[in-house]
Amino acid sequence: MATFGGSFKHMLDGKGRVSLPSRFRKTIRDSALGGEFRLWLTRGLDGCLFVYPESAWEKQQQVLEALPANSREARLYVRQIMESTYEARMDSVGRITVPSQLLELAGLEKGGEVMVLGALSRFELWDPERYETHMASDASSFEDRAERFLL
C-alpha cells in the first residue's frame, strides 16, 4: 500500500489544479491499479480534503459499505461523504484538478497556496493558514500525544 509523508506548499492555478509533490507522484504511479493514476478526493476532517490513491480508496469504500443501512447516522454519513467525493486523474505533469465544491469546503482559492500533507495511506490538502490555526488550537504537545498513542 502507498505511504505518504512530508508537507509541501504548492499553488493552485486558475483552473483549480495543484501539482503534486514529485515523491507523491512516484508513490501514486508505483501503486496504480491497471496503470491508471486515479485518485479520489473527498471532504476530510478538521477543514481539509482527503486524497486517496485508488487502492486506499477501495478500502475506505469497503468501510463505508459495511456501515449498517438501518442506521440513520450511518446513512447520513455516507451521503455526506459521497456527495463530496470526486474522481481525479493525475495528468502527465503530475497535477490534479480540485472541484470547486471541494475548494470551497477546504477554504482554498484558485491562484492561492495549498499545503499538501502526507497522512500514511492518503494525503491531505489544506489552506496553510487554516492548518496553522488548527494545529495551534490544541495545547497538547507532540510528546503528550506520543505518550497516549505509541506502544
Side-chain angles (χ1 to χ4, degrees):
M1 173 158 304
T3 301
F4 299 96
S7 64
F8 309 85
K9 286 193 179 173
H10 286 260
M11 297 297 290
L12 276 168
D13 70 13
K15 295 181 181 179
R17 298 177 299 196
V18 61
S19 180
L20 300 180
S22 60
R23 72 168 141 168
F24 285 19
R25 292 186 298 228
K26 181 182 180 337
T27 301
I28 292 163
R29 287 184 179 111
D30 290 349
S31 68
L33 300 177
E36 292 204 52
F37 310 131
R38 294 180 357 162
L39 299 166
W40 294 90
L41 287 74
T42 192
R43 107 189 286 159
L45 301 174
D46 306 315
C48 72
L49 302 177
F50 288 168
V51 184
Y52 295 93
E54 190 165 14
S55 58
W57 176 249
E58 286 180 356
K59 291 183 190 244
Q60 288 300 311
Q61 189 174 346
Q62 290 171 1
V63 169
L64 293 172
E65 288 173 346
L67 293 175
N70 63 341
S71 165
R72 182 176 187 278
E73 286 297 308
R75 290 191 312 273
L76 288 171
Y77 177 67
V78 169
R79 288 178 190 135
Q80 288 175 317
I81 288 292
M82 295 310 297
E83 76 181 2
S84 60
T85 297
Y86 296 89
E87 179 184 350
R89 294 186 188 266
M90 189 171 65
D91 69 15
S92 62
V93 293
R95 296 175 303 192
I96 58 170
T97 300
V98 182
S100 295
Q101 178 187 0
L102 293 181
L103 292 175
E104 188 175 320
L105 276 173
L108 297 168
E109 294 184 21
K110 293 177 182 178
E113 258 190 336
V114 60
M115 177 184 281
V116 183
L117 179 74
L120 299 174
S121 64
R122 69 172 189 270
F123 56 94
E124 300 174 348
L125 302 179
W126 283 89
D127 170 76
E129 289 180 20
R130 184 180 281 191
Y131 179 76
E132 291 299 323
T133 301
H134 171 69
M135 294 304 287
S137 69
D138 188 340
S140 298
S141 71
F142 175 78
E143 287 77 13
D144 293 337
R145 286 189 183 91
E147 287 179 3
R148 285 195 303 266
F149 296 114
L150 291 179
L151 301 177

